[in-house]
Amino acid sequence: MLSSKYKPYHVPLFLGKYAWLTMRRRPVLVHFEVTMRCNARCGFCDYWKTPADEKNNELKSFADAARFFNPMVVTFTGGEPLLRRDLEDVVSSVRDAISLKYVTVITHGGMLNKERATSLWKAGIDQFSISLDYLDGRHDVARGIPGLTAKIMATVSDMRAAGIHGIRFNSVIKNDNLDQLLPLVHRAAELGAGVNFSVYTDFKNGNERYLLQNGYADDVERVIRELLAYKRKRRGIITNSDYYLEQIPRFLRGEMKEPCQSGLRTIHVNPTGHVKRCPDFPTDFHWTEFKQYEKIDCDRCFYACRGEAQAPLRLSRVRDVLA
């Protein structure tokens, strides 16, 4: 889903850069973890336990790393990236370091408002990915931020009114929100936003409470059929590829044997500039000492970043982008 900053003629340019990076075995997507600090209290993540003084170790600029990798897609993530008061400077320096790119930021939305969104939009953010797993009070409880869901809805409306179009919800598919997935899509459509789904994993801190692997595959497959039916009628709201959604039941049933391409198509650079193949793996080296990764036989997760890296470049994916 391109933001309003891009036009259809940009699509072949992006496809060309994708092919160039793939031929050179360079990452297409680089996640810059600009901080590991977070002010949410998610039960499936321990980033909120990061000491406040860790901000003293965070790089002031990721521009050199961005210039070195020259990816097609950049994501600013954390932790909660909006905790960085200098995030606009970090974003603009990376924007200026790369020739052709699509820039996103992932946030829980609790610190986002129209003014901050506008300044980040001007700094170079093309897409705001706001975490949202439920449309009711369960999301507030899950994130440990009272009133968060209502704030997100109000902020998205304000952003759209301000002319910011690159907005989508990042929704994690869990065993207790299967009834929320299609309603989330409908709400996103009403707001002029999109939705990107990813499968829950206990890889971060061992919390098995929300796992889908134990008896939920059939229920998930039914919901996936509904999502695909919606997606094929109305492209551009659900931003996952058809392939990723189709493969989720296979993963849950333990049928997926394809090696993971994390480290090849996607990498993570942590706040000190050290590289890891996956958000839940330890770091391997500083970006200045980067060595190309190989495929890995790991099935601990089926995050969207893993599944989309495996996805073939179908015509349906081009239609998604154009939509």
Side-chain angles (χ1 to χ4, degrees):
M1 183 176 67
L2 289 178
S3 78
S4 58
K5 297 179 184 179
Y6 297 94
K7 305 299 180 185
Y9 69 79
H10 284 104
V11 174
L13 299 178
F14 277 112
L15 289 173
K17 185 165 185 178
Y18 176 87
W20 178 72
L21 290 167
T22 300
M23 286 189 296
R24 296 180 65 235
R25 299 184 68 230
R26 303 291 282 181
V28 174
L29 166 60
V30 174
H31 300 265
F32 288 116
E33 299 173 341
V34 295
T35 183
M36 288 291 99
R37 296 173 290 126
C38 189
N39 59 344
R41 292 293 184 271
C42 305
F44 52 82
C45 174
D46 290 339
Y47 290 157
W48 58 272
K49 296 179 181 179
T50 303
D53 60 6
E54 278 299 307
K55 66 181 180 182
N56 299 323
N57 300 319
E58 296 165 0
L59 290 177
K60 300 302 180 184
S61 174
F62 292 81
D64 289 340
R67 193 174 295 108
F68 173 79
F69 290 111
N70 191 21
M72 187 177 75
V73 183
V74 170
T75 297
F76 293 99
T77 182
E80 172 49 55
L82 268 68
L83 281 171
R84 290 197 56 157
R85 296 180 181 179
D86 63 344
L87 185 59
E88 284 83 351
D89 294 335
V90 172
V91 170
S92 62
S93 64
V94 167
R95 175 201 63 196
D96 294 342
I98 307 174
S99 55
L100 182 66
K101 67 280 179 183
Y102 189 77
V103 184
T104 74
V105 61
I106 299 176
T107 174
H108 59 54
M111 302 178 69
L112 191 64
N113 54 36
K114 182 180 71 173
E115 292 72 28
R116 190 79 197 271
T118 300
S119 67
L120 286 167
W121 181 254
K122 291 178 179 177
I125 294 297
D126 297 307
Q127 177 180 286
F128 293 84
S129 296
I130 304 171
S131 299
L132 185 67
D133 297 338
Y134 314 86
L135 288 172
D136 52 34
R138 284 179 289 173
H139 189 70
D140 300 5
V141 173
R143 295 297 185 273
I145 303 177
L148 178 60
T149 307
K151 184 182 190 308
I152 289 171
M153 297 304 162
T155 298
V156 170
S157 294
D158 289 345
M159 290 168 66
R160 292 288 287 117
I164 299 174
H165 303 286
I167 306 168
R168 76 180 184 192
F169 298 131
N170 271 9
S171 300
V172 179
I173 302 175
K174 301 185 283 191
N175 60 25
D176 69 341
N177 75 341
L178 295 178
D179 64 322
Q180 297 283 289
L181 304 189
L182 201 56
L184 278 164
V185 172
H186 289 303
R187 180 63 63 85
E190 292 169 2
L191 292 168
V195 182
N196 188 75
F197 293 105
S198 195
V199 175
Y200 180 80
T201 177
D202 63 339
F203 206 173
K204 284 192 182 299
N205 67 358
N207 185 349
E208 300 180 357
R209 177 179 175 183
Y210 304 104
L211 285 176
L212 293 152
Q213 279 85 339
N214 301 321
Y216 289 91
D218 290 342
D219 293 331
V220 172
E221 188 163 20
R222 173 182 52 78
V223 176
I224 293 297
R225 284 198 298 268
E226 294 174 351
L227 294 176
L228 284 168
Y230 180 97
K231 187 173 187 288
R232 287 161 182 161
K233 290 180 180 178
R234 187 175 181 183
R235 297 267 173 193
I237 307 301
I238 300 173
T239 59
N240 300 94
S241 66
D242 292 10
Y243 172 89
Y244 177 72
L245 295 174
E246 292 164 356
Q247 299 307 305
I248 290 173
R250 281 189 63 225
F251 170 75
L252 296 178
R253 293 191 175 104
E255 298 170 0
M256 184 165 291
K257 305 303 179 184
E258 297 91 329
C260 180
Q261 297 191 52
S262 64
L264 285 90
R265 298 292 184 91
T266 69
I267 60 166
H268 285 248
V269 179
N270 81 355
T272 61
H274 289 79
V275 178
K276 48 189 175 180
R277 67 161 65 236
C278 168
D280 299 331
F281 270 57
T283 59
D284 294 297
F285 33 68
H286 194 267
W287 71 263
T288 56
E289 302 169 335
F290 179 73
K291 301 178 181 65
Q292 288 184 329
Y293 285 102
E294 299 296 334
K295 295 178 182 179
I296 184 173
D297 186 15
C298 177
D299 283 312
R300 288 292 303 272
C301 85
F302 197 56
Y303 289 138
C305 57
R306 185 243 170 114
E308 299 296 3
Q310 294 178 190
L313 187 58
R314 298 176 179 173
L315 179 59
S316 62
R317 196 57 177 149
V318 177
R319 289 173 178 162
D320 290 338
V321 174
L322 289 173

